[in-house]
Amino acid sequence: MASNVPEINYCCEICGLEGLSEDELRTHTNNAHIEGQGVCPFCQLSAVSSAELLLHVNQAHLDYLTPELENNMGFIDDASPSDYSNSTNDENHFSPSLPCKSQKCNNINLNLSSKSILNGDISPSKSSHGQGSPLRTSLNLKLRSPVPLLHCPMCRYTSVSPDELEEHINRQHFDLTSPSFGGCTGEVFSCPLCFKGFDTAPDLELHVNIEHRDILSPASPSKTTCPVCSMVLNNENDSEEAARHVESHFPAGSPLQVDKATLREREQREFELLRAQYGMDNQGNFREQSVTNMQRAVYAGEMSVSDYYERTLDLRAAESCGVDDGSSVTCNLVAKVRGFSNNSQNIVRILTCTCVDHYASSYGDRGWGCGYRNAQMLISSLLTHTGYNDKLYKLWQGQKPPRSSVPSISRLQNLIEQAWSQGFDIQGSEQLGSRLVNTRKWIGATEVVTLLSFLRIRCLLVDFHTPTGPCGTHPELFRWVLKHFENSAVGDFTPPLYLQHQGHSRTIMGVEVHRDGTIVLLVLDPSHSPTQMRQLLDISSGSTAMRLLRKSEASMKARQYQVVAVVGMIDSDQQYQQSKILRGLRIPQDR
């Protein structure tokens, strides 16, 4: 007689995987959470050991694990912390305000025995948590008296005391941004938080106090701002006085009265800050910023004096010949990336460019040079093709450097100015004042198209001007990139793609297709340091470092993206003249 007992499905209490039978749950728990590597139940972090997973949960998701959200801790099937409220264990207590003196010290006790975990009251064998679940007691959280943990914005120091955090910043991060620290004439003071530059230390201090007050003063109470004039009202002002101030802008029987001089001055100040952010203030250049930031690195102990003078000489040599010094380049990435992708069981297809080198931001262009660095990545790939190499070698105009030489940022600025003088992208030239040399002005996708067209390399500019998926995603962008690499794979050479969005640009070196049909882009970011990129060359750390490259639809939610694709060479004079007017493809197409 057949049994009518319905089949019971189980859910993994650690990672939330559902629809498992009892045997499947046992196998999954053993493989994924005991013998294998853990997965964070709150985010997509994986490929880490259980000790690292405990450390990650306690640091990154501390706000989630609070007494107010006790019901959210159901995945940690442990006895209630109230059972142990009467016990004390001073040896395992950790004060976040005091720095650790040993690498083994952290806020998660990873080596506690069953007796020290539960103070000898309850054995772990008697608890009901799963074999792969982290013990709530091993997290060592202050669940009964939570104190907000304050983080230093410039290092990993943490403290529960605002005064201690302020003292730490003043003592440990005192640098040239202080007005009491003298500087030489003509020096550019860069903000350590957003890399904006200022002529004087008082201007920099004013910028930091205004724009970054929430970071530098985490314990300061929220201030009331007038919705009309944006004036910050003092904390001493009560609500009635604030209301009277707002009502003063709306006298009975008269139109809106605003101090036009104050408003005009504030708008001018904001406009100047915006110009400085995009390098439009004509203050500083690659060489000056390099020297300033290297001096700051010497003061901070990050660079020796001998290294400073050696890098200065290399900088002068590179600027004089126009060839990049190669201090930020990482080569031979494509073969390593393809190997890691092919060894992944979840990936069914991998398409990459033929070759590309990664160029990272350096002391001289940090904060504004991403467009130039991505142009260098694209050129490094084109130089390996005979036809494109012949076109690019003409940019040296009489000089005879090695044919594999990549132009420096200053040389790229000079070439774009030459293209403008020949009539390329007149509108873009006017927007940037027809000047790039010796400035920190940003460039984007249109300037890269102008540069390559000037060198007789044909490009396609694709504008993904609006999201095409839910939650601001761009599935059309991912499908277009996949199709582009599929079509390019039939040829003998596939260059990478230049990717631009608001405030930043990157380089697409390839695309992965996962077993469930998900498309993931492989993206090189100039903001990643050479140290980070060299992890991809090491077999032991390469699989983990692939997280730096992989970008899913959920992580690409900018309002607009532009892609530059190299599609051939310009052979005729007619095509060359037509390329002076930029034309692009809009996706989705306007109706």
Side-chain angles (χ1 to χ4, degrees):
M1 182 173 182
S3 175
N4 293 327
V5 178
E7 182 180 359
I8 300 177
N9 291 330
Y10 296 86
C11 173
C12 178
E13 62 182 17
I14 303 174
C15 62
L17 183 64
E18 299 179 350
L20 301 175
S21 64
E22 183 177 359
D23 293 337
E24 290 174 342
L25 177 60
R26 294 178 182 275
T27 303
H28 164 76
T29 303
N30 182 69
N31 294 339
H33 304 299
I34 298 179
E35 298 179 352
Q37 295 177 324
V39 178
C40 178
F42 302 105
C43 62
Q44 299 301 320
L45 177 65
S46 59
V48 295
S49 64
S50 59
E52 294 173 335
L53 179 60
L54 287 174
L55 178 62
H56 163 75
V57 171
N58 195 32
Q59 288 184 342
H61 306 293
L62 185 61
D63 293 337
Y64 189 83
L65 300 176
T66 59
E68 289 78 10
L69 300 177
E70 193 79 3
N71 58 321
N72 291 333
M73 301 177 63
F75 74 100
I76 305 178
D77 192 8
D78 195 5
S80 174
S82 60
D83 296 340
Y84 318 118
S85 59
N86 297 328
S87 62
T88 60
N89 193 350
D90 296 335
E91 295 180 357
N92 296 331
H93 179 70
F94 175 81
S95 176
S97 63
L98 298 177
C100 289
K101 296 183 179 180
S102 172
Q103 294 180 354
K104 297 181 180 179
C105 178
N106 51 53
N107 61 338
I108 304 175
N109 195 334
L110 302 178
N111 299 316
L112 293 177
S113 64
S114 61
K115 183 176 181 180
S116 62
I117 290 176
L118 301 178
N119 295 324
D121 296 334
I122 300 177
S123 173
S125 62
K126 298 179 182 180
S127 61
S128 59
H129 67 276
Q131 293 291 334
S133 302
L135 289 173
R136 185 186 309 180
T137 51
S138 67
L139 295 180
N140 199 18
L141 300 176
K142 293 185 177 182
L143 296 177
R144 290 306 162 195
S145 57
V147 178
L149 190 63
L150 308 178
H151 297 264
C152 175
M154 286 166 278
C155 68
R156 296 184 177 180
Y157 177 82
T158 59
S159 175
V160 296
S161 172
D163 296 334
E164 291 181 0
L165 179 60
E166 182 178 359
E167 180 181 358
H168 162 77
I169 293 176
N170 292 335
R171 291 182 179 273
Q172 300 299 327
H173 303 292
F174 180 81
D175 55 17
L176 297 178
T177 59
S178 174
S180 62
F181 197 94
C184 58
T185 304
E187 183 179 8
V188 178
F189 295 88
S190 299
C191 176
L193 302 178
C194 64
F195 300 105
K196 295 180 182 178
F198 299 89
D199 294 335
T200 62
D203 291 342
L204 175 58
E205 184 182 28
L206 178 63
H207 159 76
V208 173
N209 291 336
I210 294 178
E211 301 297 334
H212 305 296
R213 59 182 182 272
D214 294 335
I215 298 178
L216 298 179
S217 301
S220 60
S222 58
K223 298 181 179 179
T224 305
T225 304
C226 176
V228 179
C229 64
S230 300
M231 186 184 78
V232 178
L233 304 178
N234 296 329
N235 293 332
E236 293 80 8
N237 294 357
D238 54 19
S239 58
E240 295 182 359
E241 185 175 354
R244 286 196 298 269
H245 170 80
V246 175
E247 291 175 357
S248 66
H249 296 290
F250 304 91
S254 64
L256 181 64
Q257 297 293 329
V258 182
D259 190 344
K260 294 184 179 180
T262 303
L263 182 60
R264 188 162 49 248
E265 181 181 355
R266 180 169 59 86
E267 291 177 348
Q268 181 65 25
R269 184 170 62 254
E270 292 177 352
F271 178 69
E272 293 299 332
L273 289 175
L274 185 62
R275 284 173 55 87
Q277 178 183 353
Y278 288 92
M280 300 292 292
D281 55 353
N282 295 326
Q283 299 294 328
N285 53 44
F286 178 82
R287 183 172 181 176
E288 293 177 359
Q289 182 173 321
S290 295
V291 174
T292 300
N293 286 338
M294 285 192 294
Q295 289 177 350
R296 189 170 291 131
V298 173
Y299 298 149
E302 300 173 357
M303 179 185 295
S304 65
V305 176
S306 60
D307 289 339
Y308 166 77
Y309 284 109
E310 183 178 353
R311 292 288 295 271
T312 303
L313 293 176
D314 293 340
L315 175 64
R316 292 178 180 176
E319 288 296 294
S320 62
C321 65
V323 178
D324 187 83
D325 60 3
S327 61
S328 67
V329 65
T330 306
C331 305
N332 305 321
L333 291 175
V334 175
K336 294 291 185 180
V337 170
R338 290 182 64 91
F340 291 128
S341 295
N342 289 329
N343 292 334
S344 178
Q345 298 180 354
N346 193 36
I347 299 174
V348 298
R349 194 177 185 189
I350 169 70
L351 297 170
T352 64
C353 60
T354 303
C355 61
V356 64
D357 297 333
H358 177 268
Y359 282 80
S361 299
S362 63
Y363 288 109
D365 63 288
R366 188 170 299 155
W368 58 272
C370 59
Y372 300 100
R373 292 303 184 183
N374 286 294
Q376 288 178 325
M377 295 187 205
L378 184 55
I379 291 175
S380 71
S381 177
L382 298 177
L383 286 173
T384 62
H385 185 272
T386 304
Y388 293 122
N389 189 292
D390 292 338
K391 299 290 184 182
L392 292 170
Y393 199 67
K394 296 178 182 179
L395 65 87
W396 299 110
Q397 301 171 349
Q399 293 179 311
K400 299 297 181 181
R403 298 191 71 93
S404 60
S405 301
V406 174
S408 64
I409 290 180
S410 299
R411 176 55 66 93
L412 292 177
Q413 291 177 328
N414 183 270
L415 289 172
I416 295 175
E417 283 193 6
Q418 293 183 35
W420 286 342
S421 65
Q422 296 295 324
F424 285 87
D425 190 19
I426 297 177
Q427 293 180 344
S429 172
E430 293 176 349
Q431 290 177 358
L432 295 177
S434 301
R435 179 170 176 251
L436 283 179
V437 177
N438 290 328
T439 70
R440 298 184 298 112
K441 294 179 181 179
W442 295 20
I443 65 170
T446 55
E447 285 72 37
V448 173
V449 173
T450 297
L451 170 65
L452 296 178
S453 299
F454 173 67
L455 298 174
R456 292 184 175 270
I457 297 177
R458 188 157 52 93
C459 300
L460 174 64
L461 177 62
V462 186
D463 183 12
F464 298 89
H465 58 92
T466 185
T468 54
C471 302
T473 57
H474 291 262
E476 286 292 336
L477 167 64
F478 282 68
R479 286 193 287 266
W480 187 92
V481 171
L482 175 61
K483 184 177 180 181
H484 171 80
F485 278 101
E486 289 176 342
N487 296 336
S488 301
V490 299
D492 58 346
F493 179 76
T494 303
L497 299 174
Y498 179 99
L499 177 67
Q500 177 74 50
H501 58 87
Q502 177 65 34
H504 195 42
S505 61
R506 291 175 281 188
T507 298
I508 302 176
M509 65 172 297
V511 60
E512 294 176 338
V513 180
H514 288 215
R515 192 172 301 277
D516 59 356
T518 304
I519 303 174
V520 176
L521 302 184
L522 300 176
V523 180
L524 298 176
D525 195 328
S527 64
H528 292 151
S529 66
T531 303
Q532 291 176 300
M533 298 308 299
R534 280 194 290 268
Q535 295 178 4
L536 292 167
L537 305 180
D538 188 356
I539 298 178
S540 60
S541 60
S543 299
T544 304
M546 285 292 291
R547 290 183 296 179
L548 298 174
L549 307 184
R550 291 185 173 122
K551 301 297 177 184
S552 62
E553 289 186 13
S555 62
M556 302 275 287
K557 292 186 178 182
R559 187 178 65 177
Q560 180 182 9
Y561 288 97
Q562 289 181 325
V563 174
V564 178
V566 175
V567 294
M569 289 173 278
I570 299 177
D571 299 322
S572 64
D573 292 337
Q574 181 180 1
Q575 292 178 347
Y576 186 71
Q577 296 298 325
Q578 291 177 349
S579 66
K580 294 183 177 181
I581 301 177
L582 298 187
R583 297 177 177 85
L585 173 65
R586 289 171 60 87
I587 297 178
Q589 296 182 357
D590 297 328
R591 298 179 179 177

